[in-house]
Amino acid sequence: MRTETNTELRHRTVEAPAGRLHLVEQGTGPLVLLVHGFPESWYSWRHQLPALAAAGYRAAAIDVRGYGRSSKPPAVEAYRMLDLVADNVAVVRALGEDSAVVVGHDWGSNIAAASALLHPDVFRAVGLLSVPYAPPGGPRPTDVFDRIGGPEQEFYVSYFQEPGRAESEIEPDVRGWLAGLYAALSADTMPAHGEPDPHFVARGGRMRDRFPAGTLPAWLTERDLDVYAGEFERTGTTGALNRYRNMDRDWEDLAPHRGAPIKQPSLFIGGALDASTTWMSDAIDAYPTTLPGLSASHLLDDCGHWVQQERPGQVNRLLTDWLGTLRG
């Protein structure tokens, strides 16, 4: 294990099934593991790390395998959910803890939920941001996404399935593509109602064709964009995109847990303008059954997908208040 200090943030590399995982931690106290989504990194928790530390917690934000300074296994199937959950367990152990609260955003929300579902002995509570919990089961994911698209356009998850296809769009201009996606899903810069939906790709087109151009959302500075772009320019985007290419494998792997609830204490925070919360409103409605330990479900008005970056103060307050209830 290698430790490096950067002002109040501690950068560490720990051994995990991925090979090595990079994380950034701050504070002391009960462990809170923070798991980012696509296309992000530990840096998406930059506002939460100091807030959680000030509230008396040891906050640790990882680079998920395939991202940032973490290992990037070459095989597509190395990014299945079971492997990402094993990485989370390894981080908790490597940090010398028996248990943790796990909090995730976007894909990190799914990873956090699966971690809590499969290892309730390790993950004693779970916070989910942007993407609601839906128990394993239902039809094969790629069949569903193919039906969503239709003859004239393709759903972005289907667009991501073929190795190399999305990479060929993103990697010649990583910074521009990221800026466009962040803007497309942010409350203050997303396309107006009735304009083409950036979650879909016109047949023969590119995903970025529907991104807003020339403006950054209020939460994203040029420096922030430089941090994100610098990581993906160095690592490429294949590791990150491989998460989408394992959804059918996850469906098979998690079949024994079909319909299973998460019983630990839980919290949900989403943006009211985020497609993740509007498309999955039925999943939120089902929380009394699927999340019986839910403390609260919050939909933040005039907020998009990047909830902890768009509304850091509000999210920090909701997280620390909820964590306080876990301390009794």
Side-chain angles (χ1 to χ4, degrees):
M1 181 184 297
R2 180 177 57 81
T3 303
E4 165 189 300
T5 301
N6 177 15
T7 64
E8 294 183 329
L9 300 176
R10 301 184 296 276
H11 288 254
R12 304 178 69 164
T13 302
V14 301
E15 298 301 315
R20 70 178 188 279
L21 283 181
H22 168 250
L23 61 91
V24 178
E25 62 175 331
Q26 188 169 1
T28 58
L31 179 61
V32 181
L33 185 66
L34 303 171
V35 187
H36 67 80
F38 175 87
E40 301 176 278
S41 73
W42 76 267
Y43 189 74
S44 64
W45 301 104
R46 64 194 176 280
H47 303 297
Q48 284 66 54
L49 287 164
L52 293 174
Y57 298 94
R58 182 186 186 186
I62 66 170
D63 278 337
V64 174
R65 68 166 66 188
Y67 287 83
R69 301 186 209 174
S70 292
S71 290
K72 186 174 68 173
V76 173
E77 59 270 21
Y79 297 84
R80 64 206 311 155
M81 185 62 74
L82 294 182
D83 290 328
L84 300 175
V85 169
D87 285 344
N88 281 354
V89 173
V91 169
V92 174
R93 301 297 189 223
L95 294 180
E97 303 288 349
D98 294 323
S99 66
V101 176
V102 61
V103 179
H105 170 256
D106 182 75
W107 262 121
S109 178
N110 294 97
I111 299 167
S115 298
L117 178 65
L118 299 177
H119 294 278
D121 56 323
V122 177
F123 300 102
R124 60 189 181 90
V126 58
L128 309 175
L129 274 58
S130 296
V131 176
Y133 175 62
R140 185 178 295 275
T142 54
D143 292 342
V144 174
F145 299 134
D146 286 345
R147 289 196 298 270
I148 290 174
E152 296 183 357
Q153 59 183 6
E154 187 176 15
F155 192 49
Y156 79 100
V157 178
S158 298
Y159 180 69
F160 286 167
Q161 292 303 307
E162 180 185 342
R165 185 182 179 198
E167 289 93 326
S168 68
E169 173 188 338
I170 300 169
E171 293 181 1
D173 177 21
V174 170
R175 195 177 192 278
W177 194 91
L178 291 175
L181 180 65
Y182 296 150
L185 305 186
S186 297
D188 58 334
T189 48
M190 62 176 52
H193 182 71
E195 293 183 0
D197 189 334
H199 294 89
F200 294 86
V201 183
R203 298 290 178 180
R206 305 172 302 169
M207 193 170 172
R208 70 187 304 156
D209 294 338
R210 296 184 174 183
F211 291 168
T215 182
L216 293 182
W219 61 267
L220 184 70
T221 68
E222 295 285 352
R223 180 184 176 278
D224 295 333
L225 183 57
D226 286 342
V227 172
Y228 285 124
E231 293 292 79
F232 286 109
E233 285 169 350
R234 181 174 54 81
T235 65
T237 57
T238 295
L241 290 163
N242 280 345
R243 172 82 289 270
Y244 292 90
R245 295 164 185 160
N246 279 279
M247 297 182 75
D248 284 351
R249 292 186 182 91
D250 298 339
W251 180 74
E252 295 169 354
D253 289 342
L254 297 174
H257 304 277
R258 187 178 301 270
I262 294 174
K263 298 178 181 180
Q264 297 97 305
S266 56
L267 174 73
F268 178 73
I269 307 171
L273 300 181
D274 183 6
S276 297
T277 59
T278 56
W279 290 346
M280 298 186 69
S281 60
D282 288 349
I284 296 174
D285 292 341
Y287 279 168
T289 300
T290 61
L291 293 176
L294 183 72
S295 298
S297 176
H298 303 275
L299 286 180
L300 308 187
D301 291 336
D302 300 317
C303 183
H305 182 66
W306 318 103
V307 58
Q308 81 270 33
Q309 298 179 87
E310 292 187 52
R311 296 289 185 82
Q314 193 170 4
V315 169
N316 291 347
R317 184 169 60 254
L318 293 172
L319 281 176
T320 54
D321 287 351
W322 172 63
L323 289 167
T325 68
L326 303 179
R327 281 181 151 174

